Amino acid sequence: MNVAAETSGPAAPPRANGELVFAEPWEGRAFGMAVALAESGRITWDAFRDRLVARIAADPAAPYYVCWLDACEDLLVGAGRIGGGEVRGRAERLAGRPAGHDHDHGAPVL
């Protein structure tokens, strides 16, 4: 079982009508990043779930996907794959970019 398949408990992702729910695009990207890390063998779901549960327990008021991202960072920093704060710093830089910054939508259709 992986975290995404869990439908109850503290590690279960938010759902509506059985489907995963992402309030912001970055949440879906964070979700995909953890899936890719697990599928590539860089993290395990068990280790990720344990860190996610610990992050949620440490700050129950924190948004779920903030805890999710922090759990990813904990594992990657702990494994020496990235420096501390690197994920958060990159996320803040990406979040600061204007909407549509990397898409050329061309001239509006009149």
Side-chain angles (χ1 to χ4, degrees), residues 16-52:
N17 295 324
E19 299 292 325
L20 294 171
V21 174
F22 304 105
E24 299 287 339
W26 72 265
E27 294 176 352
R29 292 183 195 117
F31 180 86
M33 181 175 67
V35 170
L37 288 168
E39 289 180 351
S40 69
R42 288 178 173 83
I43 64 173
T44 67
W45 278 119
D46 288 344
F48 179 73
R49 182 184 53 244
D50 291 347
R51 284 305 312 150
L52 178 59

Short mmCIF file of all heavy atoms in Angstrom, two decimals, residues 16-52:
data_model
loop_
_atom_site.label_atom_id
_atom_site.label_comp_id
_atom_site.label_asym_id
_atom_site.label_seq_id
_atom_site.Cartn_x
_atom_site.Cartn_y
_atom_site.Cartn_z
N ALA A 16 -12.52 13.93 -2.24
CA ALA A 16 -13.93 14.28 -2.39
C ALA A 16 -14.52 13.25 -3.33
O ALA A 16 -13.99 13.03 -4.43
CB ALA A 16 -14.08 15.69 -2.97
N ASN A 17 -15.56 12.59 -2.91
CA ASN A 17 -16.19 11.53 -3.69
C ASN A 17 -15.18 10.47 -4.11
O ASN A 17 -15.23 9.95 -5.23
CB ASN A 17 -16.90 12.10 -4.93
CG ASN A 17 -18.06 12.98 -4.55
OD1 ASN A 17 -18.76 12.71 -3.58
ND2 ASN A 17 -18.27 14.05 -5.30
N GLY A 18 -14.23 10.19 -3.23
CA GLY A 18 -13.24 9.15 -3.49
C GLY A 18 -12.06 9.59 -4.33
O GLY A 18 -11.11 8.83 -4.51
N GLU A 19 -12.10 10.80 -4.86
CA GLU A 19 -11.01 11.29 -5.71
C GLU A 19 -10.09 12.20 -4.91
O GLU A 19 -10.53 12.94 -4.04
CB GLU A 19 -11.59 12.08 -6.90
CG GLU A 19 -12.49 11.28 -7.80
CD GLU A 19 -11.74 10.20 -8.56
OE1 GLU A 19 -10.57 10.42 -8.94
OE2 GLU A 19 -12.34 9.12 -8.78
N LEU A 20 -8.80 12.14 -5.23
CA LEU A 20 -7.84 13.04 -4.60
C LEU A 20 -8.22 14.48 -4.93
O LEU A 20 -8.66 14.78 -6.04
CB LEU A 20 -6.43 12.76 -5.09
CG LEU A 20 -5.86 11.39 -4.69
CD1 LEU A 20 -4.55 11.13 -5.42
CD2 LEU A 20 -5.66 11.31 -3.18
N VAL A 21 -8.02 15.37 -3.95
CA VAL A 21 -8.37 16.78 -4.11
C VAL A 21 -7.12 17.62 -3.87
O VAL A 21 -6.42 17.44 -2.88
CB VAL A 21 -9.46 17.20 -3.10
CG1 VAL A 21 -9.71 18.70 -3.16
CG2 VAL A 21 -10.74 16.42 -3.34
N PHE A 22 -6.85 18.52 -4.81
CA PHE A 22 -5.74 19.45 -4.67
C PHE A 22 -6.31 20.86 -4.75
O PHE A 22 -6.90 21.24 -5.77
CB PHE A 22 -4.71 19.24 -5.79
CG PHE A 22 -4.20 17.83 -5.84
CD1 PHE A 22 -4.63 16.96 -6.84
CD2 PHE A 22 -3.31 17.36 -4.90
CE1 PHE A 22 -4.17 15.66 -6.90
CE2 PHE A 22 -2.85 16.06 -4.94
CZ PHE A 22 -3.27 15.20 -5.94
N ALA A 23 -6.13 21.63 -3.67
CA ALA A 23 -6.67 22.99 -3.65
C ALA A 23 -5.87 23.93 -4.53
O ALA A 23 -6.41 24.92 -5.03
CB ALA A 23 -6.70 23.51 -2.21
N GLU A 24 -4.60 23.64 -4.73
CA GLU A 24 -3.72 24.49 -5.53
C GLU A 24 -2.90 23.60 -6.45
O GLU A 24 -2.60 22.45 -6.09
CB GLU A 24 -2.75 25.28 -4.62
CG GLU A 24 -3.44 26.20 -3.64
CD GLU A 24 -4.02 27.43 -4.32
OE1 GLU A 24 -3.58 27.78 -5.43
OE2 GLU A 24 -4.93 28.03 -3.73
N PRO A 25 -2.49 24.12 -7.60
CA PRO A 25 -1.67 23.29 -8.51
C PRO A 25 -0.40 22.74 -7.87
O PRO A 25 0.01 21.62 -8.15
CB PRO A 25 -1.35 24.26 -9.66
CG PRO A 25 -2.46 25.24 -9.65
CD PRO A 25 -2.84 25.40 -8.20
N TRP A 26 0.24 23.53 -7.00
CA TRP A 26 1.49 23.05 -6.39
C TRP A 26 1.24 21.79 -5.55
O TRP A 26 2.15 20.96 -5.40
CB TRP A 26 2.17 24.15 -5.56
CG TRP A 26 1.48 24.49 -4.28
CD1 TRP A 26 0.58 25.48 -4.06
CD2 TRP A 26 1.63 23.81 -3.01
NE1 TRP A 26 0.16 25.47 -2.76
CE2 TRP A 26 0.79 24.46 -2.09
CE3 TRP A 26 2.40 22.74 -2.57
CZ2 TRP A 26 0.69 24.07 -0.76
CZ3 TRP A 26 2.31 22.33 -1.24
CH2 TRP A 26 1.46 23.01 -0.35
N GLU A 27 0.04 21.64 -5.00
CA GLU A 27 -0.23 20.45 -4.20
C GLU A 27 -0.19 19.20 -5.06
O GLU A 27 0.35 18.17 -4.66
CB GLU A 27 -1.59 20.59 -3.51
CG GLU A 27 -1.63 21.70 -2.49
CD GLU A 27 -3.00 21.88 -1.87
OE1 GLU A 27 -3.98 21.26 -2.33
OE2 GLU A 27 -3.09 22.67 -0.91
N GLY A 28 -0.75 19.29 -6.26
CA GLY A 28 -0.69 18.15 -7.18
C GLY A 28 0.74 17.85 -7.59
O GLY A 28 1.13 16.69 -7.74
N ARG A 29 1.52 18.91 -7.77
CA ARG A 29 2.93 18.70 -8.13
C ARG A 29 3.69 18.06 -6.97
O ARG A 29 4.53 17.18 -7.19
CB ARG A 29 3.56 20.03 -8.52
CG ARG A 29 3.00 20.58 -9.80
CD ARG A 29 3.69 21.89 -10.20
NE ARG A 29 2.91 22.54 -11.22
CZ ARG A 29 2.32 23.73 -11.08
NH1 ARG A 29 2.48 24.42 -9.98
NH2 ARG A 29 1.60 24.24 -12.05
N ALA A 30 3.42 18.50 -5.74
CA ALA A 30 4.08 17.90 -4.58
C ALA A 30 3.70 16.42 -4.46
O ALA A 30 4.54 15.57 -4.17
CB ALA A 30 3.69 18.65 -3.30
N PHE A 31 2.43 16.14 -4.71
CA PHE A 31 1.97 14.75 -4.69
C PHE A 31 2.73 13.93 -5.73
O PHE A 31 3.27 12.86 -5.43
CB PHE A 31 0.47 14.71 -4.98
CG PHE A 31 -0.11 13.33 -4.97
CD1 PHE A 31 -0.54 12.76 -3.80
CD2 PHE A 31 -0.23 12.61 -6.15
CE1 PHE A 31 -1.08 11.48 -3.79
CE2 PHE A 31 -0.75 11.33 -6.16
CZ PHE A 31 -1.17 10.77 -4.97
N GLY A 32 2.80 14.44 -6.96
CA GLY A 32 3.50 13.74 -8.03
C GLY A 32 4.98 13.56 -7.73
O GLY A 32 5.57 12.54 -8.08
N MET A 33 5.58 14.56 -7.09
CA MET A 33 6.99 14.45 -6.75
C MET A 33 7.22 13.29 -5.78
O MET A 33 8.16 12.50 -5.97
CB MET A 33 7.47 15.76 -6.10
CG MET A 33 8.94 15.75 -5.75
SD MET A 33 9.53 17.34 -5.13
CE MET A 33 8.64 17.46 -3.58
N ALA A 34 6.38 13.15 -4.77
CA ALA A 34 6.55 12.05 -3.82
C ALA A 34 6.33 10.70 -4.50
O ALA A 34 7.07 9.75 -4.25
CB ALA A 34 5.59 12.22 -2.64
N VAL A 35 5.33 10.64 -5.38
CA VAL A 35 5.09 9.39 -6.11
C VAL A 35 6.31 9.04 -6.95
O VAL A 35 6.79 7.89 -6.95
CB VAL A 35 3.83 9.51 -6.99
CG1 VAL A 35 3.70 8.32 -7.94
CG2 VAL A 35 2.59 9.63 -6.13
N ALA A 36 6.87 10.02 -7.66
CA ALA A 36 8.04 9.77 -8.50
C ALA A 36 9.24 9.35 -7.66
O ALA A 36 9.99 8.46 -8.06
CB ALA A 36 8.36 11.02 -9.31
N LEU A 37 9.41 9.99 -6.51
CA LEU A 37 10.54 9.62 -5.64
C LEU A 37 10.39 8.19 -5.15
O LEU A 37 11.37 7.44 -5.09
CB LEU A 37 10.62 10.58 -4.45
CG LEU A 37 11.11 11.99 -4.77
CD1 LEU A 37 10.86 12.92 -3.58
CD2 LEU A 37 12.58 11.98 -5.14
N ALA A 38 9.18 7.79 -4.81
CA ALA A 38 8.95 6.42 -4.33
C ALA A 38 9.11 5.42 -5.47
O ALA A 38 9.74 4.37 -5.30
CB ALA A 38 7.57 6.31 -3.70
N GLU A 39 8.56 5.75 -6.63
CA GLU A 39 8.66 4.82 -7.75
C GLU A 39 10.09 4.65 -8.24
O GLU A 39 10.45 3.61 -8.77
CB GLU A 39 7.75 5.28 -8.89
CG GLU A 39 6.28 5.09 -8.57
CD GLU A 39 5.35 5.53 -9.69
OE1 GLU A 39 5.82 6.14 -10.67
OE2 GLU A 39 4.15 5.26 -9.56
N SER A 40 10.91 5.68 -8.05
CA SER A 40 12.31 5.58 -8.46
C SER A 40 13.19 4.93 -7.40
O SER A 40 14.38 4.73 -7.63
CB SER A 40 12.85 6.97 -8.80
OG SER A 40 12.96 7.76 -7.62
N GLY A 41 12.61 4.67 -6.23
CA GLY A 41 13.35 4.02 -5.16
C GLY A 41 14.18 4.97 -4.31
O GLY A 41 14.93 4.54 -3.44
N ARG A 42 13.99 6.28 -4.51
CA ARG A 42 14.76 7.24 -3.71
C ARG A 42 14.19 7.38 -2.30
O ARG A 42 14.90 7.78 -1.39
CB ARG A 42 14.80 8.58 -4.43
CG ARG A 42 15.71 8.52 -5.65
CD ARG A 42 15.72 9.83 -6.41
NE ARG A 42 16.70 9.83 -7.46
CZ ARG A 42 16.49 9.32 -8.67
NH1 ARG A 42 15.34 8.75 -8.96
NH2 ARG A 42 17.44 9.35 -9.58
N ILE A 43 12.91 7.11 -2.14
CA ILE A 43 12.28 7.05 -0.82
C ILE A 43 11.38 5.82 -0.82
O ILE A 43 11.06 5.28 -1.88
CB ILE A 43 11.46 8.32 -0.47
CG1 ILE A 43 10.28 8.48 -1.42
CG2 ILE A 43 12.34 9.56 -0.47
CD1 ILE A 43 9.31 9.61 -1.04
N THR A 44 10.97 5.41 0.37
CA THR A 44 9.98 4.33 0.45
C THR A 44 8.68 4.93 0.98
O THR A 44 8.70 5.93 1.72
CB THR A 44 10.43 3.21 1.40
OG1 THR A 44 10.47 3.71 2.74
CG2 THR A 44 11.78 2.65 0.97
N TRP A 45 7.56 4.32 0.61
CA TRP A 45 6.28 4.82 1.10
C TRP A 45 6.19 4.71 2.61
O TRP A 45 5.63 5.59 3.25
CB TRP A 45 5.11 4.08 0.45
CG TRP A 45 4.77 4.61 -0.89
CD1 TRP A 45 4.81 3.94 -2.05
CD2 TRP A 45 4.33 5.93 -1.21
NE1 TRP A 45 4.44 4.75 -3.09
CE2 TRP A 45 4.14 5.99 -2.59
CE3 TRP A 45 4.09 7.08 -0.46
CZ2 TRP A 45 3.72 7.13 -3.25
CZ3 TRP A 45 3.66 8.23 -1.11
CH2 TRP A 45 3.47 8.25 -2.48
N ASP A 46 6.72 3.64 3.17
CA ASP A 46 6.67 3.49 4.63
C ASP A 46 7.40 4.64 5.32
O ASP A 46 6.88 5.23 6.28
CB ASP A 46 7.25 2.15 5.07
CG ASP A 46 6.35 0.98 4.72
OD1 ASP A 46 5.15 1.21 4.43
OD2 ASP A 46 6.84 -0.16 4.74
N ALA A 47 8.59 4.95 4.84
CA ALA A 47 9.36 6.05 5.44
C ALA A 47 8.63 7.38 5.22
O ALA A 47 8.56 8.21 6.13
CB ALA A 47 10.77 6.10 4.85
N PHE A 48 8.08 7.55 4.02
CA PHE A 48 7.36 8.79 3.73
C PHE A 48 6.13 8.91 4.62
O PHE A 48 5.89 9.97 5.21
CB PHE A 48 6.95 8.85 2.25
CG PHE A 48 6.19 10.09 1.94
CD1 PHE A 48 6.82 11.32 1.88
CD2 PHE A 48 4.82 10.04 1.73
CE1 PHE A 48 6.11 12.48 1.62
CE2 PHE A 48 4.11 11.19 1.46
CZ PHE A 48 4.75 12.41 1.41
N ARG A 49 5.35 7.85 4.74
CA ARG A 49 4.15 7.89 5.58
C ARG A 49 4.51 8.22 7.02
O ARG A 49 3.85 9.04 7.67
CB ARG A 49 3.40 6.57 5.52
CG ARG A 49 2.11 6.57 6.35
CD ARG A 49 1.39 5.24 6.37
NE ARG A 49 2.27 4.17 6.78
CZ ARG A 49 2.63 3.15 6.02
NH1 ARG A 49 2.16 3.02 4.81
NH2 ARG A 49 3.45 2.23 6.47
N ASP A 50 5.58 7.59 7.53
CA ASP A 50 6.00 7.85 8.91
C ASP A 50 6.34 9.33 9.10
O ASP A 50 5.96 9.95 10.10
CB ASP A 50 7.19 6.99 9.29
CG ASP A 50 6.83 5.52 9.40
OD1 ASP A 50 5.62 5.18 9.42
OD2 ASP A 50 7.77 4.69 9.45
N ARG A 51 7.07 9.92 8.13
CA ARG A 51 7.45 11.33 8.24
C ARG A 51 6.21 12.22 8.10
O ARG A 51 6.07 13.23 8.78
CB ARG A 51 8.48 11.72 7.18
CG ARG A 51 9.86 11.24 7.47
CD ARG A 51 10.41 11.66 8.83
NE ARG A 51 10.20 13.06 9.10
CZ ARG A 51 10.03 13.60 10.32
NH1 ARG A 51 10.05 12.84 11.40
NH2 ARG A 51 9.86 14.88 10.48
N LEU A 52 5.31 11.84 7.20
CA LEU A 52 4.09 12.63 7.01
C LEU A 52 3.25 12.64 8.28
O LEU A 52 2.78 13.69 8.73
CB LEU A 52 3.29 12.08 5.83
CG LEU A 52 1.95 12.76 5.52
CD1 LEU A 52 2.15 14.25 5.22
CD2 LEU A 52 1.27 12.06 4.35
#
